[in-house]
């Protein structure tokens, strides 16, 4: 979203209930503490959307959106495949409110460290390099053609070497 996040900025993290927005906000707050950045997941906009969902009342929207304009960045936590109809409706209302007000936002997907890294990238910050993981399968299931060629070449060479030794 931005090249640099200035000190004293406010970042809002929005999402439907159960989307992981609060967890992401806590992780970002820890990560951005040294930059003196405030990270919010409980915003007037989220309250306005909740009120619209429960009561059909949009009277809080204008004030909430005006307050939201002071935030440097908005991150919207994307839904996963398990989202129910209520979550989908909340997500749609958040997107519509932000887009309708012309407020830029980035949708953040992933889980755990991947989600945090995606959020940091969206804020224009360096994300920690993901640890390399060893494939969770045995060699016979890797399907790497270079590896397979080396394996079979070595086996053939051993047969040839064993035959010439006798």
């Amino acid at each position: 979203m931005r090249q640099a996040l200035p000190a004293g900025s406010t970042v809002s993290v929005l999402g439907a209930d159960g989307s992981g927005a609060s967890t992401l906000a806590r992780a970002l707050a820890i990560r951005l503490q040294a930059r003196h950045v405030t990270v919010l997941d409980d915003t007037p906009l989220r309250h306005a959307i909740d009120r619209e969902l429960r009561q059909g009342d949009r009277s809080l929207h204008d004030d909430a959106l005006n307050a939201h304009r002071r935030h440097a960045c908005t991150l919207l936590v994307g839904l996963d495949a398990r989202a129910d109809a209520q979550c989908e409706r909340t997500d749609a209302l958040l997107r519509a409110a932000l887009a309708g007000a012309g407020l830029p936002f980035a949708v953040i997907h992933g889980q755990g460290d991947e989600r945090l890294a995606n959020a940091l990238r969206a804020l224009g910050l360096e994300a920690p390099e993901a640890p390399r993981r060893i494939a969770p399968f045995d060699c016979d299931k890797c399907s790497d053609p270079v590896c397979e060629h080396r394996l079979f070449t070595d086996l053939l060479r051993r047969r040839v070497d064993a035959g010439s030794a006798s």
Side-chain angles (χ1 to χ4, degrees):
M1 284 181 71
R2 303 199 186 279
Q3 292 296 52
L5 191 62
S9 297
T10 299
V11 173
S12 58
V13 180
L14 301 174
D17 289 336
S19 68
S22 295
T23 302
L24 177 59
R26 284 190 298 274
L28 279 172
I30 291 167
R31 186 68 191 260
L32 300 176
Q33 186 174 14
R35 292 178 170 265
H36 304 287
V37 172
T38 302
V39 180
L40 303 175
D41 70 326
D42 187 25
T43 67
L45 180 56
R46 179 54 208 221
H47 289 283
I49 296 298
D50 286 344
R51 186 169 181 163
E52 180 180 358
L53 284 167
R54 284 194 307 272
Q55 301 170 4
D57 178 4
R58 294 180 46 89
S59 65
L60 299 178
H61 279 250
D62 288 340
D63 288 341
L65 289 166
N66 285 333
H68 204 84
R69 290 183 201 288
R70 293 189 293 266
H71 299 180
C73 298
T74 300
L75 304 177
L76 178 64
V77 178
L79 299 176
D80 63 20
R82 298 170 290 154
D84 62 18
Q86 182 72 15
C87 290
E88 290 175 2
R89 179 145 166 72
T90 300
D91 183 76
L93 289 173
L94 284 166
R95 289 172 190 250
L98 292 166
L103 293 169
F105 62 96
V107 180
I108 307 301
H109 292 281
Q111 297 292 321
D113 290 340
E114 177 188 22
R115 181 180 284 170
L116 176 60
N118 290 340
L120 289 168
R121 278 190 217 92
L123 295 172
L125 302 172
E126 282 293 317
E129 190 172 314
R132 294 182 178 246
R133 295 186 179 145
I134 297 173
F137 41 77
D138 297 327
C139 187
D140 65 331
K141 297 178 186 170
C142 91
S143 299
D144 178 358
V146 174
C147 184
E148 286 179 7
H149 178 74
R150 188 174 53 243
L151 174 68
F152 291 118
T153 303
D154 288 348
L155 287 172
L156 288 173
R157 188 174 305 126
R158 285 183 194 159
R159 281 187 180 170
V160 169
D161 291 345
S164 63
S166 29

